[in-house]
Amino acid sequence: MTDKITIKGAREHNLKNVSLEIPKNELVVFTGVSGSGKSSLAFDTIFAEGQRRYIESLSTYARQFLGQMDKPDVDYIDGLTPAISIDQKSTSNNPRSTVGTVTEIYDYLRLLYARVGTPFCPKCGKPIKPQTIDEIVESILKLPEGTKIQILAPIIKGKKGEYQSLFDELRQEGFVRVKVDGEIYNLDEDDIKLAKTKAHTISVVIDRVVVKPEAKSRIADSAQIALKKADGVTNIDIVGGEEIIYSEKLACPDCGLSFDELTPRIFSFNAPYGACDRCGGIGVDFRIDPDLVVPDRSKSIKDGAIYPWSRSATSYYDDVLRAVKEAYNMDYEIPFGEMPEEHQEIILYGSDERIPMRIREFGSHRYRSSMQKFIGVIPFLMKHYNIESEYWKAEIEKYMVTTPCEKCGGARLKPFPLAVRINGKNIHEFCTMSIDKEHEFITDLYLTLTDFQLKIGKQILDEIRARLKFLMDVGLSYLDLARMAGTLSGGEAQRIRLATQIGSGLSGVLYVLDEPSIGLHQRDNERLIKTLFKLRNMGNSLIVVEHDEDTIRNADYIVDIGPKAGLHGGNIIAKGGVEDLIDCKDSITGKYLSGEWNIPVPKTRREGNGNYLQIRNAYLNNLKNIDLDIPLGKIVVLTGVSGSGKSTLMQDLIYEYAIHKLRKNKPKPQGVGEILGFENLDKIIDIDQSPIGRTPRSNPATYTDVFTPIRELYAKTNEAKMRGYKPGRFSFNVKGGRCEACQGDGVLKIEMNFLSDVYVKCDVCKGKRYNNETLEVKYKGKTISDVLEMSVKEAYEFFENIPQIANKLKTLNDVGLDYIKLGQSATTLSGGEAQRIKLASELNKRATGKTLYLLDEPSVGLHWYDLDKLIKILQQLADNGNTILIIEHNLDLIKIADYIIDLGPEGGDFGGEVVACGTPEEIAKNPKSYTGQYLKNMLK
Ligand code: ADP
Ligand code: ADP
Ligand code: ZN
Ligand code: ZN
């Protein structure tokens, strides 16, 4: 075994044929400016190769996909161990995933509840326990004389096909009926055939006996036979009438209910044994909300009142609506809310009558007439929700609300598992406590369980307790195990995966992490770093891409990549300890670490424009009925520990309320009294790090719209005029000038079964996106395809004399994106790059000075050097009178705020209050504010 990983000749993306050695079993931090090549080396080279080799070691079945799996562009890597990546992506949107299931803690809980839980009758609440055969016979004999009973003995066998011989055998033994999956069948040929198609569980129905004292021995005999047939399964139900069931297992004699054995699977909401019958274990009912379908009732149908139908390019909806209008003589020009109730009903929920419909066929000019029912907008959406693609599902979900399941109230399980308790709590109630409370609860069990229970349960308790502790260590005490994984932020999901990995106890693994500090308050950073150490001390190697200063300073080994981004990066600049970086004169990171360069504290704080957004009685999630005034015309930073309520306030309330007020296409959000002051704003813009497009078709040129004047310029060249080419000819999105083999993508998508899609260069145009004729048109010797290959900087120099183009390119340049290519596909841009492209295109627009910009942790992925640039853009937007509201943990960004709102004091139930408000200087003086304590040092 070598003690290092050796990489030779890495050239992925911008990497400049780099070679290096990384020590194993250490905490290695990759740092450098955004776009310098950290992820290209950590994820796209080292991790990708580790994963590729892993797949290579698998079955031949998996290996057939290997040829298509890109080998990273690297000469060789030596000393690689199995690799696991922990990043912010790939959070599950499956409603069946919860914090409990993804951390596997729920699996241990199921075991715990099955082993040491006390079952109660879900009907009367009395504790229940199993009965012996003697007890069963005793109570049968207490029944009124003449009651008919059945003795059932379940036989559970694996496969459907195996039942034939069993049925034959039973018939020979004189049995006449069987119960298959709850239904009774006679043992004649036809019924057996039916039964065989479903059998998962069958029970033998022994006999009908009339209860008389002298029948006692017959009952006992029958029970014996049943037991023998039952293949060692000892569960016997004796049914009287339809009502009374006795069981050698669990039963409530008073209510006459019997229950399954306590096994882990009955506590699973992801399997039929445990899942609530009504919601199937999801815990919620989905329904389309009429208020989301018609968000603004003062609009008429003609003006697009039916929101989901108002944005389509097809004529289908118009045709349908016209038919309905004519059939019912509706008025589409009055506000929807003023239409007669029955008209509103028909539009939303349809009618049973057939009416004449005349609908244009898709993609043609022909009309087809027929008599059809109009099913209504809501049933229409529901129908499509159930049959259509993921895309449609996501579209339609925008009009859906979820309400807790009527039967289980959101607990996801059947009544019986929910009636099993430990120290008074059922498994669902346990899972809805915060993680620190759960930890306390489990710790108490060591004292309160009986010796016997402890003997069975101790190992399970140890496991659960340790895993809960790991979650607390990564700053997630405020979450609960029932929380749906899909509602977690990227940072939370990442730290959950980190904690889960520690719980799994693997060693000899190479972990590659992407900025684990995201979403974490400075206060909790130290514990996160200790967690990384713990993972290392278990015998693992860690490569962490990180910009956080504490993490860099705590690393065993630092690799600084740069010096700058893109073409100007991709080299190893310095490696070793902090001192090695400081000593290296080319290391930008070193300059910031030594303090030679820094982000300055502003000399003054903006006064604002005297207006406020006034939030009144905000109570969503953990917010404690807060009132808050947010000053406008300033940079306002929302701070507070993870889970204190920042996103709830900004995303769920302010953003949603603004959409309701300013765009009028959403109802008022729940969870707040009101928010006043939107008359002082005219636009709201959410600048997040989501991709600027999901296909290779979107790129910086199209997103910022600089491509439009470029195409116009090409259409004005003599060559184009002569050939009659219009600007559209130079678009790769429409037929005409583009290469039709790849439809202008330049690449062809190959869909893989279980791996992510692979793109290969188009053979026909060689990746140039256009056909040959188009490429014959040149401007200053360059084709339109050449332009897309230029970096922003090159293009800026090339188009210097064309202001419409040059100005837009300059903004991209100013936000620090001089190195990206104009045609670089959106799918390859980092979150930080996407964010800055969005900011650049905002800066290009004419400023109204009344815009509210929302940014959620804009510092993610940014080095000090990039942060400096970002801050300058934000300053410029604020100087133009706009308001900027930022959620942030990075102290370098917090310190430039004009105004800070610090939420807390803690996460979850113990948060949701305004701890302090004011300028950074004021916050730093406030002893109650955690943020203030850390800010103090920054302001010196
Ligand atoms: P970092 O992780 O340091 O921010 P990256 O490794 O993500 O930097 O990116 C390095 C350079 O490679 C950037 O210029 C980026 O735009 C480019 N890049 C990243 N992914 C791709 C890709 N899939 N195809 C082409 N270029 C890419
Ligand atoms: P922050 O942004 O400060 O980290 P959040 O606003 O995300 O905090 O969370 C505040 C509280 O609300 C936390 O207790 C969190 O668990 C809870 N919470 C946030 N989103 C949801 C949700 N979709 N469902 C249930 N609880 C939520
Ligand atoms: Zn009962
Ligand atoms: Zn339910």
Side-chain angles (χ1 to χ4, degrees), residues 13-14 33-40 566 819-820 824 828 830 833:
H13 304 149
N14 69 335
V33 304
S34 173
S36 63
K38 302 178 294 296
S39 319
S40 299
Y819 61 91
I820 56 167
Q824 187 168 335
T828 67
S830 70
E833 287 171 335

Side-chain angles (χ1 to χ4, degrees), residues 434 478-480 483-484 486-489 492 495 519-520 620-623 638-652 856 887 889 903-904 906-912:
S434 62
Y478 61 92
L479 287 180
D480 58 72
R483 177 75 171 274
M484 283 213 286
T487 66
L488 298 167
S489 68
E492 283 170 338
R495 280 179 277 132
L520 203 58
L620 189 66
N621 292 335
N622 69 336
L623 298 179
L638 267 177
T639 59
V641 299
S642 185
S644 57
K646 303 179 295 296
S647 323
T648 304
L649 184 65
M650 186 168 103
Q651 305 287 6
D652 302 340
D856 191 348
I887 292 179
H889 296 289
L903 295 183
E906 301 292 330
D909 282 349
F910 298 102

Side-chain angles (χ1 to χ4, degrees), residues 588-709:
I588 295 181
T589 313
K591 294 220 185 328
Y592 281 98
L593 286 172
S594 70
E596 185 184 336
W597 290 5
N598 62 25
I599 294 175
V601 180
K603 298 211 172 54
T604 58
R605 310 285 178 183
R606 281 181 196 76
E607 289 297 325
N609 58 23
N611 294 319
Y612 294 87
L613 263 194
Q614 299 174 303
I615 298 165
R616 294 295 171 259
N617 192 27
Y619 58 90
L620 189 66
N621 292 335
N622 69 336
L623 298 179
K624 302 285 177 340
N625 301 84
I626 57 178
D627 290 348
L628 178 66
D629 290 351
I630 298 180
L632 300 182
K634 294 188 181 188
I635 297 179
V636 181
V637 179
L638 267 177
T639 59
V641 299
S642 185
S644 57
K646 303 179 295 296
S647 323
T648 304
L649 184 65
M650 186 168 103
Q651 305 287 6
D652 302 340
L653 296 184
I654 297 176
Y655 181 70
E656 292 295 324
Y657 212 100
I659 295 291
H660 158 69
K661 279 285 187 187
L662 301 174
R663 292 191 202 152
K664 297 199 191 314
N665 59 9
K666 275 270 177 82
K668 177 175 159 278
Q670 301 281 309
V672 61
E674 55 185 340
I675 304 182
L676 305 167
F678 280 103
E679 66 278 11
N680 303 311
L681 295 169
D682 61 5
K683 235 192 324 178
I684 180 149
I685 291 171
D686 197 5
I687 307 250
D688 56 15
Q689 297 208 348
S690 66
I692 59 171
R694 302 203 172 273
T695 68
R697 245 167 231 290
S698 351
N699 58 43
T702 55
Y703 190 88
T704 58
D705 212 26
V706 68
F707 204 43
T708 307

Side-chain angles (χ1 to χ4, degrees), residues 242-364:
E242 293 285 26
E243 296 281 308
I244 305 172
I245 303 165
Y246 295 104
S247 164
E248 201 197 351
K249 292 290 175 194
L250 298 167
C252 172
D254 294 352
C255 302
L257 297 172
S258 86
F259 310 102
D260 289 337
E261 212 181 333
L262 290 190
T263 54
R265 70 172 185 185
I266 69 163
F267 297 101
S268 167
F269 46 81
N270 289 331
Y273 316 104
C276 164
D277 295 327
R278 185 187 155 86
C279 63
I282 294 181
V284 290
D285 293 334
F286 289 94
R287 61 182 184 85
I288 303 230
D289 184 349
D291 288 342
L292 294 173
V293 172
V294 184
D296 182 0
R297 296 185 152 242
S298 68
K299 260 194 187 166
S300 67
I301 291 187
K302 185 161 169 268
D303 290 337
I306 305 169
Y307 191 63
W309 279 16
S310 66
R311 302 175 309 153
S312 163
T314 76
S315 58
Y316 176 79
Y317 301 126
D318 293 339
D319 293 344
V320 171
L321 285 172
R322 185 170 7 83
V324 173
K325 177 178 166 206
E326 283 161 13
Y328 297 98
N329 200 10
M330 293 188 184
D331 185 349
Y332 282 179
E333 305 202 355
I334 54 171
F336 186 86
E338 287 171 23
M339 289 171 76
E341 295 256 315
E342 60 280 17
H343 286 177
Q344 298 185 13
E345 275 294 304
I346 292 174
I347 293 286
L348 292 177
Y349 300 102
S351 137
D352 275 340
E353 254 176 298
R354 289 179 185 275
I355 58 168
M357 294 247 188
R358 196 167 161 268
I359 301 208
R360 201 171 81 185
E361 284 178 12
F362 185 72
S364 99

Side-chain angles (χ1 to χ4, degrees), residues 276-281 283-284 405-410 412-413:
C276 164
D277 295 327
R278 185 187 155 86
C279 63
V284 290
C405 166
E406 270 176 33
K407 188 151 181 217
C408 65
R412 296 168 178 255
L413 293 170

Side-chain angles (χ1 to χ4, degrees), residues 493-534:
Q494 183 187 31
R495 280 179 277 132
I496 282 178
R497 282 215 292 285
L498 177 59
T500 308
Q501 283 304 324
I502 296 207
S504 75
L506 293 175
S507 67
V509 172
L510 169 66
Y511 286 102
V512 188
L513 290 93
D514 188 13
E515 284 199 272
S517 70
I518 289 174
L520 203 58
H521 192 272
Q522 203 64 26
R523 182 195 74 173
D524 297 319
N525 218 3
E526 201 172 307
R527 280 206 293 176
L528 175 71
I529 294 170
K530 280 194 191 141
T531 301
L532 296 177
F533 285 155
K534 187 179 278 169

Side-chain angles (χ1 to χ4, degrees), residues 693-736:
R694 302 203 172 273
T695 68
R697 245 167 231 290
S698 351
N699 58 43
T702 55
Y703 190 88
T704 58
D705 212 26
V706 68
F707 204 43
T708 307
I710 293 178
R711 280 183 292 138
E712 283 163 1
L713 180 70
Y714 270 83
K716 280 193 207 127
T717 59
N718 287 337
E719 185 69 31
K721 279 195 206 146
M722 244 161 51
R723 298 170 177 229
Y725 290 174
K726 298 272 173 308
R729 177 89 200 186
F730 300 96
S731 161
F732 50 79
N733 278 327
V734 293
K735 275 195 185 151

